[in-house]
Amino acid sequence: MLKLLKTHFGYDSFRPLQKEIIDTVLSGQDTLVLMPTGGGKSLCFQLPALALPGLALVISPLIALMKDQVDTLCANGISAALINSSITPKEQAQVMQRASAGDLKILYLAPERLGSYGFSEFLDSLNVSLIAIDEAHCISEWGHDFRPEYRNLWHLRKKLSKAPVIALTATATPRVRRDILSQLGMEQASVFVSSFNRANLHYSVRPKYQAFDQLVELLQSHKDESIIVYCFSRKNTEETAKKLTQAGLPALPYHAGLNKDVRQQTQERFIRDEVPIIVATIAFGMGIDKPDVRLVVHLDLPKTIESYYQETGRTGRDGLPGECILFYSYADRRKHEFFINQIEEPDERAQAMRKLEDMIIYCQTPACRRFCLLTYFGEDHQATTCDACDNCLNPPVEYVDATEISQKILSAVLRTGERFGMAHVCDVLRGSKKKRVIELGHHQLSVFGIAKNLPIPALREYIEGLKKLSYLQQNLGEYPTLQVTIKGKQALIKNESILLPPLTVIKKVLTRPSGTTLEYNLETFEKLRALRKQIADQQNVPPFVIFGDKTLHEMAYYLPSTLEAFSHLFGVGKQKLEAFGQQFIDCIAIQTAEQNLKEKPVPRKASLSITNSPPQTSSTLNETKELLEQKLSIKEIAKQRGLSPGTIIQHLEKLLQADELPDITHLKPKDKDFQKIQKAFNKSKNKTLTAIFKQLDEEYSYDELRLARIFL
Ligand code: ADP
Ligand code: ZN
């Protein structure tokens, strides 16, 4: 199983309970899985689906989510498809045909399809290995998201009585749990309940005072990351999004009052990393499975702990740190109480009031926030502190003497002419040999390398402290350059002592219980991120389908230069290694050269077998080959096959490697273009696509370059 896990998903080990659950499913028993968001539920049916002969059916109510999951599976080389209202009848017929022909391992189905005409015969034609029911709480009227179509599922179960069922949900009170089991007639099922503790999430509550300014500062410290800001009212989401955008933080509003197309587009842009911040009412989130949301802010008080837990649960699904910040004010509490008092039914009113009180206890507790949440969900915990919430981490702050380092920083800002941003000042202080530093002659300054031993996050924190206490100021605007204020200059001249808040970096890194991040090279990470986005756009999938952030962090830390080393990275399976490995390695190579960085050995865990023998021509390559023989253009082939042109070019490359490329003279670029590209390749030292692309002033697309390279 570990081998399957690495080969198909690129992971080295199982998350808690995954292995036990998979064992149970493989033994043919029915299973119920209760696991929090981000716990890794999908793998519990995807891996058995691969291991078992036949086809696994996955029932899911969330259309947007299905597509992401299918894209992710396909990117990992697993044949998966979906049937729901988003596809045309023709596409549906194709998928059904592939399923009946045994061409698919995993088929996602919307529950309402089960009752549709002719579906029963279709099901008869399948060899079903497993039925997975995602979001299983939808079957219960007691759940918060009841779907009547889910009641059809017992039908499906009866019809396919040989296949084991695995039902999964993130939200299940004991009542809902009993309901799921009885509705599906699987009272004998093995039940797995994992802890609802999200160890990689950091919780804090702040007084709601000048909340917008606080928000801006927060968002700036999470620049370019994916963030959700929750507000109470629709109007407030729109106003806040507008003000943030004006402050240079691109944000879009989302609420149920916007028309469907706009909402869809907004979601899509968020998932594709085209807009980093969504300001939303609670209408946002269902069906959004973005693994790399890093921060969830609640500008207004949520009504219940359940909803708070669910909304904050949308951060850090990929296991990397996620931050959850709530702004609390007494006025918000009064507002909720006012609305609750309008509820006529007394029991309901009392219940709502109790839930609000629990929420307020969370906000006001001086004890561990995590403990407070888990206790609410009835979990018994030995430890009553966590080291990853505001109350555990931040006893009142005492300022410490930071005169020496402050003087160094202020001098560096002055000596470099007050014309540079934080990153460059840090480079100079740390004695970086980056091209830019050398070109500017800053390696000859007396301040060059005087803070060699301080890690960048620490330096940044000192600089932030100096900004906060007005020793430094930073221009807002396009170039956020640092300047020394009059107060700063005075302090330098008079050799005054400077007190700053103590550093939190070291503590933070040490105390993030899981999901610790590597000290990766930031610039390389940004470049890799851009490459990921470019590939994702070419293939028309969200960026996280290509590689998750954790994989990019590892790339930017270990800087692998060979496919062998690359294959040991987290999240790199066989398919992704072959499809993207070389492009990322090329990009890394440029960075290591430009920044003078050194590759580090990647720890070996589970390993992929990389063979040097030519890859076998699979059926998909053969299909492309046949169309090439009919002299179709790349575009026509892409269209006929329902693939992107980029993928077809990849097929050409693979066919070439396997020495099976037919005559493709009809695809050769025009002489003039070809010669230009050829020249660029001849001139280039490392011959990477990125280098050629730049050298030709971005005149040709990557696809055009790759095609020309095939002829070269
Ligand atoms: P859930 O459905 O429980 O909310 P997912 O199945 O979407 O969670 O998994 C959350 C994230 O964790 C995904 O990005 C998934 O790829 C990743 N993941 C799952 N299992 C593992 C594992 N064993 N090792 C590393 N990452 C994993
Ligand atoms: Zn705590």
Side-chain angles (χ1 to χ4, degrees), residues 368-370 385-389 392:
C368 176
R369 309 261 183 217
R370 182 184 313 275
T385 57
C386 75
D387 282 346
C389 76
C392 290

Side-chain angles (χ1 to χ4, degrees), residues 11 13-15 18 36-43 289 291 317 570:
Y11 304 139
S13 57
F14 287 104
R15 296 246 182 97
Q18 278 179 334
T37 310
K41 286 189 286 299
S42 318
L43 204 77
D289 204 354
R317 295 179 76 127
F570 174 88

Side-chain angles (χ1 to χ4, degrees), residues 219-376:
L219 298 184
Q220 272 166 347
S221 67
H222 283 268
K223 210 154 175 148
D224 294 331
E225 298 176 350
S226 293
I227 295 162
I228 308 174
V229 179
Y230 282 107
C231 296
F232 186 65
S233 76
R234 297 178 179 183
K235 192 162 136 252
N236 203 2
T237 63
E238 298 196 4
E239 284 171 6
T240 308
K242 198 162 143 205
K243 273 164 57 189
L244 286 175
T245 308
Q246 282 163 357
L249 294 158
L252 286 177
Y254 186 104
H255 57 73
L258 295 168
N259 89 36
K260 195 162 159 253
D261 290 344
V262 174
R263 274 184 291 158
Q264 178 101 30
Q265 246 179 32
T266 303
Q267 269 196 22
E268 191 79 356
R269 292 190 58 195
F270 183 61
I271 289 174
R272 295 189 175 227
D273 286 348
E274 283 161 13
V275 59
I277 306 165
I278 299 291
V279 187
T281 62
I282 52 170
F284 185 75
M286 235 345 211
I288 296 222
D289 204 354
K290 197 171 186 339
D292 51 4
V293 175
R294 296 269 78 89
L295 168 68
V296 170
V297 182
H298 281 76
L299 272 188
D300 300 304
L301 181 69
K303 276 194 278 225
T304 65
I305 290 201
E306 278 97 339
S307 51
Y308 186 63
Y309 179 81
Q310 197 175 37
E311 283 143 25
T312 51
R314 294 182 180 130
T315 174
R317 295 179 76 127
D318 53 8
L320 294 173
E323 199 163 356
C324 315
I325 296 179
L326 188 158
F327 288 98
Y328 172 68
S329 75
Y330 184 69
D332 272 2
R333 167 187 184 162
R334 300 290 311 175
K335 193 161 67 187
H336 281 306
E337 282 170 354
F338 174 81
F339 284 116
I340 290 173
N341 279 324
Q342 316 285 309
I343 300 176
E344 287 190 3
E345 215 276 305
D347 279 352
E348 206 184 313
R349 188 172 59 232
Q351 163 104 335
M353 201 58 98
R354 264 201 305 278
K355 294 208 164 194
L356 178 64
E357 274 160 19
D358 284 328
M359 189 67 232
I360 289 164
I361 289 178
Y362 172 83
C363 295
Q364 298 189 331
T365 181
C368 176
R369 309 261 183 217
R370 182 184 313 275
F371 186 66
C372 179
L373 288 177
L374 293 176
T375 313
Y376 179 84

